[in-house]
Amino acid sequence: MLNWITNIISSMGYLGIALLMVLENIFPPIPSEVIMPLAGFTVQQGNLNLLFVILAGTVGSVLGALPWYYIGKRVGEKRLRQWVNKHGKWLTLSGEDIDKSKRWFKKYGWAVVFFGRLIPAIRTLISIPAGFEEMPFLPFLLYSTVGTLVWVGLLSYAGFVLGQNYQLVKKYLSPISIVVVVVLVVGLGIWFIRRRKKRQKGNN
């Protein structure tokens, strides 16, 4: 797969990066943790521009997230779960994956669309419960774009800095990103609690 990804980026440039990131969202076995660091390494070699690489990866990833959002919205949870349980193995998906993304969405609300883009196990599937829960399209697009921009930017820059060792990104960045997200979620929760307490005091 690595050779295939390398050939796509080498032959198609920014368009190839965008297409690979579309596929990464639709077909999870294609990892962004390989695509974007490799693209960053290509920048280091002087063949591409880092800003355009990040923009291409972000656009492709957001476009790839839209089908899952509309599937969740149009098909509904019950029918989609039945389909995934029957055919999802070809996409390495299961009903448990849907449950996990749904729990995250219910627990953290719209913000999880942003935070979910930073977590490899969640980022692709978080669009589905957003569709189930009828999250409005514009907020979904905004949260998805900002979260994806952060994720793609981190991966691309890491590949640029590491050079030929870009494959280390996949090994080390995933657990780090989870820690970062946990810290952000805890911080956001504290902020909401404090804000609610202030409102309650103001009402009294």
Side-chain angles (χ1 to χ4, degrees), residues 121-133:
I122 295 292
R123 63 184 310 273
T124 299
L125 297 175
I126 199 60
S127 303
I128 297 176
F132 289 159
E133 302 296 331

Side-chain angles (χ1 to χ4, degrees), residues 37-196:
L38 176 57
F41 172 51
T42 305
V43 172
Q44 190 197 64
Q45 293 179 311
N47 297 324
L48 296 173
N49 177 277
L50 183 60
L51 176 60
F52 291 149
V53 161
I54 293 172
L55 289 176
T58 300
V59 169
S61 187
V62 172
L63 289 176
L66 296 181
W68 290 116
Y69 171 78
Y70 282 109
I71 287 172
K73 195 169 185 177
R74 303 289 182 182
V75 175
E77 180 179 355
K78 184 177 179 180
R79 283 191 292 172
L80 181 61
R81 186 183 298 277
Q82 290 174 345
W83 186 89
V84 166
N85 287 333
K86 188 174 182 180
H87 305 289
K89 61 182 180 180
W90 302 109
L91 299 175
T92 66
L93 298 177
S94 67
E96 185 178 344
D97 293 320
I98 294 177
D99 290 333
K100 184 188 298 182
S101 59
K102 187 179 177 182
R103 285 196 300 269
W104 274 70
F105 192 89
K106 284 186 174 295
K107 188 173 183 179
Y108 301 112
W110 290 4
V112 79
V113 175
F114 167 78
F115 293 123
R117 299 296 174 198
L118 305 175
I119 303 176
I122 295 292
R123 63 184 310 273
T124 299
L125 297 175
I126 199 60
S127 303
I128 297 176
F132 289 159
E133 302 296 331
E134 298 289 332
M135 181 178 181
F137 177 72
L138 288 180
F140 170 79
L141 185 63
L142 177 62
Y143 281 96
S144 295
T145 301
V146 176
T148 299
L149 183 63
V150 173
W151 176 249
V152 169
L154 285 172
L155 293 179
S156 303
Y157 185 71
F160 175 75
V161 171
L162 290 171
Q164 292 183 348
N165 295 316
Y166 68 89
Q167 292 189 60
L168 292 175
V169 175
K170 187 176 188 299
K171 182 177 180 180
Y172 294 111
L173 189 58
S174 295
I176 293 174
S177 67
I178 293 174
V179 172
V180 170
V181 170
V182 170
V183 171
L184 288 173
V185 169
V186 170
L188 187 62
I190 294 173
W191 179 78
F192 275 124
I193 292 172
R194 288 179 176 175
R195 187 180 180 187
R196 181 177 296 179

